[in-house]
Amino acid sequence: MNEAVSRRSAMRLIGAAGVVGGALGAGACAPTVPPGAGLRSTAPAAPADAEPGGANRIDALLERLTLDEKTALLHGARDPASLGQAGYLPGVPRLGIPALRLADGSAGVRVTETATALPAPVLLASAFDPALAREYGRVVGREGRALGQDVVLSPMANLIRTPYAGRNFEAFAEDPRLTADLVGEMVRGIQDEGLIATVKHFALNNQEHGRDTVDVIAAEQTLHETELRGFEAAVAAGAGAVMGAYNRVNGVHACENKPLLDELLRGSWGFDGWVMSDWDAAHSTVAAIGAGLDMEMPGGTHFGRPLREAVRGGTVPEAAVDLAVHRILTTMDRFGLLAARPAARPPRNAAAGARVARKVAAAGAVLLRNEHGTLPLSGAAARSIAVIGPTGQVPFVGGGGSAHVVPDGAPAPLSAIRQRAGNGSTVRYALGEDLYGRPLPATLLTPAADLDHRVVAPGRGWRHEGEFRLAADDEWTLLVHYTGQRPGVRLDGEELFPVRQGITEHYAGGLLGSAPDGMAVRRRTLALKAGTHRLAVTAAGGDKGQRFRLRHITGAIRAADLAEAVKTAKSARSVVLFAYEDATEGRDRTSLALPGGQERLIEAVAAANPRTTVVLNTSSGTTMPWLSRTGAVLQMYYPGQEGAGATADLLFGDVDPGGRLTQTFPADERATPVGGDPRRYPGVGGRQEYSEGIHVGHRWYDAQHVTPLFPFGHGLSYTTWHYEGLAVRPGGARGQRGSLRVEFTVRNTGRRKGTEVAQVYVGPSPELQLDQPVRALAGYRRLTLAPGQAQRVTVDVDARALSSWDPERHAWVLGTGRREVFAGRSSRDLPLRSKVVVGSR
C-alpha cells in the first residue's frame, strides 16, 4: 500500500513540473486562479490526532479492514435514515469510520427539508464576480453541514456549449476562463465551511440528449483550452472529489477512462481526492478501478460483489482496492471526519442564506434592452403597473432535476412589486397563459363526474369512463395533478401520461412539474377533432391514499386569457410581463423560442402598451422575434427564493443591473456553434464531434463573422459609461514571465450610481502555428461608481491567457510576438485597443 501511494505522489510531483504525458497531454503552466487565491482551499484544520501521523493512521486502518469492508467503502448503499439526499456510504462503525451522506447542491442543498434556494449558477456567473461565487459556495457549504451532509455534488464545471442543453442553468458560462475562475472560488467557498465539494461532470457532459451513451470526440487542444479549464481550476482549489460523467470521451466511458482519470487528473494535475461515478455511470469493474474510479454510486452493481470476486479471482489486485479506499479515507481525514471528536455541525442560518440569495439574484440580472427610458420604473409609470404572466404570480425559483431545492419560502413577484410600488399605486394582474389548467365542467362527461376534487382511500381504487362531444376542432391541453401513484388517463384508447424511462419520469421541471399546492403535474397537448371522444380515468390509493384532479386548457380559454392580458395592459401606464421556459436535468430543449403561446402574448401586450418590460425566467439563450416591440427586457434566469424581491429592486432602480451575459444569445437557431450540424449536436449514430475546436461560444461567432442577438458580456446599465486611456505593458500578474498589465480608465458619465463589468480580450499570436481565437477573454473587473466618478482599472493578464495548448508537445506554449489587446463592455463592444509585444523572457 505504501509503495502504491508513493508512486502516486511521485507521479503528482512529476506532473506538476509538466513532464508527464498521456493521451490527453499534461499542463506545464499553473492553472489560472483569481488574484489572491491560493492553490489549495482553506479546508478545516486536521484534527490533532491526524498529523503528522495521518497517513500512517490511514494505512493502519487499511490493515484492519476486511475485503468486504473495503469494497463497502467503494460503493453507495441504501440509507437506513435517509434525509432525502442523493447518496449514502455506510462507513465501518467498528473502526470509527463514519457514514457519508452526499447531496446534490448546484443551487442549494437538495434534501427533503427546506434549504436556501439560491439563484441558478448561470445567474451567479453573470455577476462576473469570483468573490461572490465564494460567498455563494459558503452558503452551500454551511447549509450542507447543517443539514447532515458531508459531501455536496457541486459545482458543475461543464461549459455551455449548445443553447439546447437542458442543464445550462446549472453551468456558469460558455467561456473557459470565466468558468474556471468561478468554479475555483465556489469550491473554496464550499470547503471553507467543512463540506467536501465534488466537481462534475468529468468530462464533456454538455447535453442531456443521449448523455449515457454518446461518444464525444474532441481533439487534445480542444479539450485543454475549453472543457478542462474549469476542472483544472477546481483541482487547484483543492476539491475533495470529482464526479465522472455518463458519456464516453474519445471512445472510452468517462468512468473508466485512464487518460482522463489517471494520467491527466492525478498525474498531471496532482488531484489527491477521490473519483466517484455519476449515478449509474459505472460500466465495468476491472476497467473502471484500473483506470482510477474509486467509488460507484448509488449502488454496488460493479464495485460490490463483482469487485470482491475480481480480487479473489486475481483479475483486480487488492492493492488497487486499497488505493481507492486510501483516497477516500485520506480526504475524509483532511476534513476532520475521522477525528475522535468531529467538529459539531453548525446551525442553519436561513436569514443569512436569504440575504446572499437576494444579493446574487440582483447582482447577476442582465438588462438586455431598455428603450425610451422604460426602466427603471418611476413617476406615473411606477404608480400604474400591469403585471402579466403566470410566473408573475407563481414564483419561478429554480430548474428541475437534481438542482431542485425545497425553499424556506418564495414570495411572488406580484407581491413584491405591489409592496415596492406602495400606497397610492395601482398594480393589476392578468394571467396571460394558464400553466395548470381549469377544472373540467362536471357535466362535460356523460355520465357526469367531478374530476377536480377526487380522494382515493388507502388500498382502494377509483375508475370512471365517459364521453364528451366537441362541436369543432380544437387544441386541448389535459393535465393531471396527483399526490400518489400517477392516475391513468386514456383518451380514445390512448394513455396520455405513460411512465417514461429513466430520470425523465422523475424530473419534470422546476415550474411545470408541480402545482402551486405541491401536487405533481403531467400535461399533454393534443389536436382534437370535432365529434365524440371517450375518456377513462383510473386511480389507486396505494398505502397512504391520494388526491388527484384532472384539468384542461382549451382554445377558448387561451383566447380569453390573452384578451384579459391585453385589456389589463391597456389600463396601465407600464407593463411587467413575466415569461418562462422550464428546463430540467434529463432532457434538452427542443427549441430556443419561448414555449406555449408566450410569443403571441408578448406581441399582443406590447402592441397594446409599448412600455412593456419582459422579465425572462429562462434557462439559457432565447430567440426573440418580439424584441423590437418591447420597451425593455430583463434576463433573470432562475432567480432562487429571493427572486421576487431582487426583481422589484431592479425594476424600480433600487439596484443597477450589473449582470452581463456569460453566453451568447443567437439571432437564429441555425446560427450557433452547433446549429445545422447534427454531428456537433446532438450527434450522429451515437457519436458527437467537437469539430468547432477551440471556437466555443463567442469565439465561434467572431471566427464566423456571425452577428448574435446579444453578444457574450453584453448588459445595459441605468447609467452611461466611457472608456479611455488604454495602456498595456509586459510584466503584470506579479511579474510572471509572459504576462501583461492592462490599464484603462472607466468613467460613469450618467446621473446615477452604476455597476459596470470592464472586460479585456486578447488577439492571437502571430508566432504560434496553432488554431487560436479571434479574441479570447483575458480578464475582467466588476466596479461600482458614483455619477461622474472615474476609476483607473488594472487587469493583469497571466501567461495562461496568452498561451495555447500544443498537442505535439502536450503542453501550454506561450503565444509570443505582437498581439492586440482590447478593452470594453462586451465581446462586441470594445472601444479601446492597443498592441504589445509578448516576449518569452
Side-chain angles (χ1 to χ4, degrees):
M1 179 63 231
N2 290 335
E3 182 182 359
V5 174
S6 297
R7 282 199 304 268
R8 177 175 62 86
S9 300
M11 286 287 287
R12 185 178 70 186
L13 292 172
I14 295 171
V19 176
V20 173
L24 293 173
C29 181
T32 298
V33 295
L39 286 179
R40 290 286 176 221
S41 70
T42 309
D49 59 347
E51 294 296 343
N56 292 334
R57 193 154 53 84
I58 302 301
D59 289 344
L61 276 174
L62 270 169
E63 291 177 2
R64 297 178 63 192
L65 287 166
T66 67
L67 180 60
D68 285 357
E69 289 170 334
K70 291 174 186 176
T71 57
L73 290 171
L74 302 186
H75 66 82
R78 187 184 66 83
D79 188 347
S82 177
L83 301 170
Q85 79 279 0
Y88 173 77
L89 198 74
V92 183
R94 75 177 183 88
L95 295 179
I97 300 173
L100 280 180
R101 287 185 168 88
L102 304 85
D104 293 311
S106 292
V109 182
R110 182 175 181 256
V111 293
T112 51
E113 297 180 37
T114 60
T116 300
L118 292 161
V122 69
L123 183 55
L124 164 68
S126 299
F128 279 72
D129 188 346
L132 187 61
R134 190 160 188 164
E135 196 172 348
Y136 183 104
R138 284 193 181 113
V139 173
V140 174
R142 182 184 177 95
E143 294 211 338
R145 291 273 297 145
L147 291 166
Q149 306 304 301
D150 308 292
V151 182
V152 66
L153 310 177
S154 180
M156 180 170 146
N158 303 109
L159 296 183
I160 297 175
R161 175 176 179 260
T162 167
Y164 293 100
R167 299 182 77 174
N168 280 350
F169 64 94
E170 293 184 66
F172 291 89
E174 67 187 19
D175 187 83
R177 169 59 186 260
L178 180 61
T179 296
D181 289 350
L182 300 176
V183 164
E185 287 305 284
M186 187 170 170
V187 166
R188 291 182 176 92
I190 290 168
Q191 298 191 160
D192 283 346
E193 301 295 331
L195 195 67
I196 300 171
T198 307
V199 64
K200 62 184 185 182
H201 310 82
F202 192 58
L204 300 176
N205 182 180
N206 298 116
Q207 66 187 53
E208 294 302 282
H209 183 90
R211 69 177 187 177
D212 53 349
T213 57
V214 68
D215 184 7
V216 184
I217 308 301
E220 185 176 314
Q221 183 185 2
T222 300
L223 275 166
H224 282 272
E225 291 195 30
T226 61
E227 174 78 359
L228 295 182
R229 292 287 301 277
F231 294 97
E232 185 181 8
V235 171
V242 170
M243 180 189 289
Y246 285 106
N247 50 281
R248 291 179 171 88
V249 175
N250 293 330
V252 182
H253 283 293
C255 288
E256 55 189 56
N257 194 308
K258 190 176 182 68
L260 271 179
L261 304 184
D262 186 51
E263 296 170 12
L264 176 69
L265 181 64
R266 293 195 172 97
S268 297
W269 295 349
F271 175 65
D272 55 8
W274 86 82
V275 178
M276 70 181 76
S277 74
D278 204 339
W279 271 223
D280 296 314
H283 293 86
S284 65
T285 300
V286 178
I289 198 165
L293 183 70
D294 302 308
M295 182 186 292
E296 178 191 8
M297 296 301 293
T301 303
H302 302 285
F303 277 20
R305 178 182 294 176
L307 180 56
R308 293 191 294 274
E309 292 175 350
V311 171
R312 289 168 180 145
T315 55
V316 170
E318 190 164 354
V321 172
D322 290 348
L323 182 55
V325 173
H326 195 282
R327 289 165 177 155
I328 294 167
L329 292 180
T330 300
T331 306
M332 292 175 66
D333 195 40
R334 172 186 157 199
F335 283 82
L337 299 178
L338 299 183
R341 294 178 298 279
R345 294 186 181 274
R348 269 201 73 211
N349 189 335
R355 286 193 295 273
V356 173
R358 185 159 177 167
K359 178 180 178 181
V360 171
V366 184
L367 184 61
L368 298 177
R369 173 181 170 86
N370 192 21
E371 298 296 311
H372 311 299
T374 299
L375 291 180
L377 299 174
S378 61
R383 294 191 295 272
S384 174
I385 305 170
V387 176
I388 294 170
T391 49
Q393 188 175 49
V394 177
F396 198 158
V397 175
S402 58
H404 175 70
V405 177
V406 181
D408 293 300
L414 175 62
S415 301
I417 290 170
R418 280 179 171 156
Q419 181 179 0
R420 176 58 181 81
N423 296 330
S425 63
T426 301
V427 180
R428 299 180 176 88
Y429 176 73
L431 181 64
E433 181 181 80
D434 194 341
L435 296 186
Y436 304 109
R438 310 288 216 279
L440 287 160
T443 57
L444 174 74
L445 290 177
T446 304
D450 177 7
L451 296 175
D452 200 55
H453 302 285
R454 302 305 313 184
V455 177
V456 185
R460 304 297 296 272
W462 186 89
R463 179 180 182 86
H464 184 83
E465 293 188 24
E467 293 181 344
F468 65 94
R469 183 173 181 79
L470 291 184
D473 294 354
D474 199 358
E475 183 180 83
W476 276 39
T477 298
L478 282 165
L479 306 95
V480 62
H481 302 203
Y482 56 98
T483 61
Q485 178 183 333
R486 184 161 71 243
V489 181
R490 301 184 71 85
L491 181 65
D492 299 328
E494 179 190 1
E495 176 57 56
L496 298 185
F497 309 108
V499 175
R500 294 172 291 183
Q501 295 298 312
I503 62 172
T504 56
E505 169 61 23
H506 304 288
Y507 294 160
L511 175 71
L512 302 180
S514 60
D517 63 358
M519 281 190 172
V521 177
R522 295 292 186 272
R523 55 182 46 76
R524 178 82 174 272
T525 299
L526 305 139
L528 298 184
K529 296 291 186 181
T532 301
H533 297 271
R534 188 162 191 84
L535 184 70
V537 182
T538 59
D543 295 337
K544 300 180 180 179
Q546 77 155 315
R547 297 178 294 115
F548 79 90
R549 54 189 175 236
L550 190 66
R551 293 192 165 183
H552 75 318
I553 305 167
T554 67
I557 291 171
R558 293 186 181 93
D561 288 343
L562 181 63
E564 180 64 22
V566 169
K567 178 182 176 183
T568 305
K570 287 180 177 179
S571 71
R573 293 296 297 270
S574 59
V575 175
V576 180
L577 191 156
F578 287 83
Y580 73 91
E581 177 263 322
D582 195 11
T584 183
E585 179 180 358
R587 67 169 184 263
D588 282 345
R589 305 162 78 192
T590 57
S591 170
L592 304 188
L594 293 172
Q598 293 184 95
E599 289 190 348
R600 183 175 59 176
L601 173 65
I602 293 172
E603 289 173 349
V605 167
N609 189 328
R611 292 187 62 86
T612 293
T613 296
V614 177
V615 178
L616 291 171
N617 293 134
T618 55
S619 67
S620 193
T622 304
T623 52
M624 304 180 196
W626 39 264
L627 181 65
S628 63
R629 298 173 179 82
T630 64
V633 178
L634 181 64
Q635 176 62 253
M636 291 295 296
Y637 295 109
Y638 300 156
Q641 69 179 48
E642 303 301 318
T647 302
D649 291 342
L650 290 150
L651 291 172
F652 287 90
D654 301 332
V655 174
D656 191 53
R660 303 294 182 261
L661 288 182
T662 68
Q663 57 188 304
T664 306
F665 278 31
D668 188 306
E669 293 202 27
R670 295 164 295 182
T672 75
V674 300
D677 188 346
R679 292 171 300 176
R680 291 186 182 179
Y681 176 82
V684 175
R687 175 187 169 100
Q688 182 186 51
E689 300 175 6
Y690 278 38
S691 55
E692 73 273 19
I694 63 164
H695 302 289
V696 64
H698 59 95
R699 300 175 178 186
W700 180 89
Y701 287 87
D702 288 342
Q704 299 299 318
H705 306 288
V706 173
T707 300
L709 184 63
F710 296 110
F712 174 88
H714 171 76
L716 303 177
S717 169
Y718 290 150
T719 187
T720 53
W721 302 93
H722 179 70
Y723 285 65
E724 60 190 16
L726 177 64
V728 185
R729 61 178 176 82
R734 305 183 187 92
Q736 182 187 68
R737 180 182 68 87
S739 63
L740 300 175
R741 171 152 291 180
V742 181
E743 296 181 344
F744 52 93
T745 298
V746 177
R747 186 182 305 276
N748 180 347
T749 55
R751 299 179 179 179
R752 300 173 58 96
K753 179 181 177 181
T755 298
E756 175 68 326
V757 176
Q759 301 161 46
V760 173
Y761 296 79
V762 295
S765 162
E767 297 182 4
L768 280 185
Q769 302 304 308
L770 294 167
D771 198 14
Q772 298 175 72
V774 175
R775 280 180 295 276
L777 180 69
Y780 47 88
R781 286 292 180 272
R782 183 180 175 94
L783 58 152
T784 299
L785 300 179
Q789 183 181 2
Q791 180 174 323
R792 191 69 177 166
V793 175
T794 299
V795 175
D796 285 335
V797 178
D798 59 20
R800 173 62 69 86
L802 298 167
S803 300
S804 295
W805 182 267
D806 187 338
E808 292 187 1
R809 296 172 59 183
H810 307 300
W812 291 98
V813 292
L814 182 65
T816 55
R818 193 170 182 83
R819 302 187 66 167
E820 198 161 15
V821 177
F822 309 82
R825 305 197 65 237
S826 79
S827 63
R828 290 292 177 95
D829 183 1
L830 298 167
L832 304 182
R833 60 181 60 194
S834 181
K835 291 186 177 181
V836 65
V837 175
V838 176
S840 58
R841 294 174 181 261

